[in-house]
Amino acid sequence: MSSMPKLQHDTNAQTELDMSNARTASTVSVENVRDFLHHGRSAWETRRRIVGVLENDPVFDKTRREFLTRTEKYERGLVLTNRVYELQTIHNWDEREVQVAFSSIDEQLSIGLHNIAFQPVFMLQGGPTLVKRYGPLIATRAIFGCYMQTELGHGTNVSSLETTATYIPETKEFEIHSPTITSSKWWIGALGKTATHGVVQAKLILPGGKDVGPHLFFVQLRSLHDHSLMPGVTTGDIGPKSNGGFAPTDNGFARFDHVRIPKENMLSGFASVTDDGRYQQPPHAKLSYGGMLYIRANMVTGGGWLIAKAATVAIRYATVRRQGERGPDGLEKQIVSYPSVYYRLLPILSRAYMFIQLGKTLAKAFDTMASRLKKGDASLLAEMHATTSGLKVYVSSNGVADIETARRSMGGHGYSAFSGLGRLYADYLPSVTYEGDNFVLDQQVVRAALKSYRAVFAAGPPKVDSLSPSSAYLRYLVNPPAVPSAFAEKEWRDPVTSILVLELRAALVVRELAQNVDIQDASVNQRVSKAVTEAFVATQVGDMIKNGLKLPENDGKVVSKVFLLYLLTTVEGGLTDLLSFGVIGPGSGSKLQDPTRSLRLAIKSLCEELLPEAIGLTDAFGFTDWELDSALGVYNGKVYEALWERAQSEPLNRSEIPAAYESIKPILQRGQKLVMLGKAKL
């Protein structure tokens, strides 16, 4: 009797089983941690309700967007925008609910620049008369705005912008003008074809030709009757962006040819010009930076949620993808079990949690600063500027790297557009440049650090009592902490250890720079900025852990481990400085031994403890399959099935014989003819 053939293992069916088993293995309460990440149960329920409306509305279908042209993506973006406001009317959504809807759509829409740049800047810095007249129109989108700062020739260096706003006292008007090609406004979101008005950053020129630097002016760009351009205004779209990113947004250019605007159109909440042309300066030289600080502050939370998407997709895929060695069950191992994979992905997860929580703290701090600014109190502006500069660099640099690391962890399938991470990467990539180039912002962080250092060591005894949160690390230069000669693995499990060495590292690199400020190496700004920012973030994370996460005991322990992993991997990333200054050394052992081994082992053991919780921790972000739009990050784990189905929608697959056969055919015929003539060389 012949034996029955052995059934081949069903890899596709195994993916669903692996995902189910991973969820069963996780001990965290997804509901509790989800509420923690979303500002409470009420906020989560609001988000879930709104996402439910969107994902069931055919207007927001995503199945065809990878195959659209640039123009079609722009047009679709405005269809989506219009539909959100229709839904606002239908469901009586408030502005917060509308904001949730836009944040859930997963598209870079032109309206975003109206909401996060144009409107906040106008409301914060506009004078009472201007706000009263246009504020309601802006709030209801009766006009569509953009924030016009960057020029063809200058971006981050605001003081060198060339667009001019010359005051004409005879007519009580400002004349907005683009004197050179490099003064053309460039890269401005929504400017190309959409915006009707703009807040224009221009050099204020007083009677007699005195230049008092960049100020903001409210300028109409297009007719509200037929959307045609206003006299003297030229605008257009700057073209496709790198990697196809920001396709729905009409980043545009503009030039002004002696365009006159009423005197009242200067945003005069802080600085103004009298009727006869005298300048009334603001209480603080950098008050006009408030709008940019608002955007930078919000980038922390936004970056955290984007990193969360990348972590969710990559960890889900790694959980169901089996490859390589076989385990005791005879199956190939899940790739998430390999150290080379979990060591890459779990730190990304930890940074997502950290940035999301840190963003909440920063938003509150910005609101406090803004309310004081309205009263003329600029005492918090310098601290906010230093903090947001460093954090903008930190979140964008980490975000770009983390999204790409997550994509690469998925191997060949990660390169498919259907993985969803390529699109995420393309849209987030410019974040390292917009709202201040990261390398330039590093200099501002360093400048603030040196100013704080010099204030501590000015004439008289060192002064540490008045150190701000962003410079508190400098206290260790006055009162050096006790540092062990070597750290055991057990000591690394205490967050206090990581916070100590990261703050001490920041203090030492700042002192080193201050003592050698006349002879600097080429990378010093980047190293100092990173050290200073990581010290600040470490103390914030320490406060989160110390003050309690308001979670049930087990959930709190797991999330605390997530934050600890962030701290440990941050220390690992700073080892060059820590070893250079001897903060971490060989101790009493041989100098040939690795003094960082205990740290690396602590990271490994912590990753192994968090590994069974990874799916629960990513589920807690609360993303639906519609939000992720990733064949490799589907909730049920059936990634191969999802990828196969997506491939069938490729337009090339609509016909058996492609239209391009008209080009393929002569190539084949030419080769066949050469063979027949005996001229082909085989």
Side-chain angles (χ1 to χ4, degrees), residues 170-234:
E170 292 79 11
T171 59
K172 296 183 176 61
E173 292 176 307
F174 288 101
E175 185 175 86
I176 310 299
H177 184 57
S178 307
T180 63
I181 188 171
T182 51
S183 68
S184 304
K185 294 299 180 181
W186 203 266
W187 278 114
I188 312 303
L191 172 60
K193 296 294 179 182
T194 308
T196 63
H197 292 70
V199 167
V200 179
Q201 188 87 257
K203 292 193 300 184
L204 172 57
I205 309 298
L206 300 177
K210 183 180 181 182
D211 178 354
V212 290
H215 289 69
L216 299 174
F217 301 86
F218 181 67
V219 181
Q220 183 169 355
L221 307 171
R222 291 180 178 271
S223 164
L224 294 179
H225 173 65
D226 61 5
H227 209 58
S228 60
L229 290 169
M230 300 298 289
V233 177
T234 301

Side-chain angles (χ1 to χ4, degrees), residues 316-353:
R316 284 181 178 176
Y317 180 71
T319 298
V320 302
R321 174 74 167 177
R322 289 179 176 270
Q323 201 90 164
E325 302 173 16
R326 295 190 180 274
D329 56 4
L331 302 177
E332 290 178 287
K333 288 185 176 181
Q334 295 161 274
I335 65 171
V336 77
S337 67
Y338 292 108
S340 62
V341 175
Y342 68 63
Y343 172 74
R344 283 182 284 170
L345 295 184
L346 292 180
I348 294 175
L349 177 66
S350 75
R351 282 187 285 275
Y353 269 69

Side-chain angles (χ1 to χ4, degrees), residues 111-126 131 138-139 145 147 199 216 267 270 290-295 298 366 370 374:
I111 191 65
L113 285 303
H114 176 103
N115 292 335
I116 69 171
F118 173 77
Q119 183 172 350
V121 170
F122 182 91
M123 299 305 292
L124 178 66
Q125 301 193 43
V131 169
I138 292 172
Y147 180 68
V199 167
L216 299 174
L267 270 62
F270 300 124
M292 182 175 283
L293 299 188
Y294 173 83
I295 298 172
N298 280 276
F366 180 86
K374 275 294 186 183

Side-chain angles (χ1 to χ4, degrees), residues 521-581:
D521 62 76
S523 66
V524 66
N525 286 333
Q526 285 66 57
R527 291 185 290 104
V528 172
S529 175
K530 186 179 182 183
V532 166
T533 302
E534 288 182 337
F536 171 77
V537 174
T539 60
Q540 298 298 307
V541 171
D543 288 342
M544 294 175 197
I545 298 173
K546 182 174 63 178
N547 296 333
L549 302 172
K550 298 180 181 178
L551 284 165
E553 184 177 3
N554 180 67
D555 300 331
K557 285 182 179 179
V558 174
V559 173
S560 291
K561 288 181 180 180
V562 173
F563 286 135
L564 177 60
L565 181 60
Y566 162 75
L567 291 172
L568 292 182
T569 51
T570 301
V571 171
E572 185 182 29
L575 282 176
T576 299
D577 292 330
L578 294 169
L579 291 168
S580 297
F581 287 104

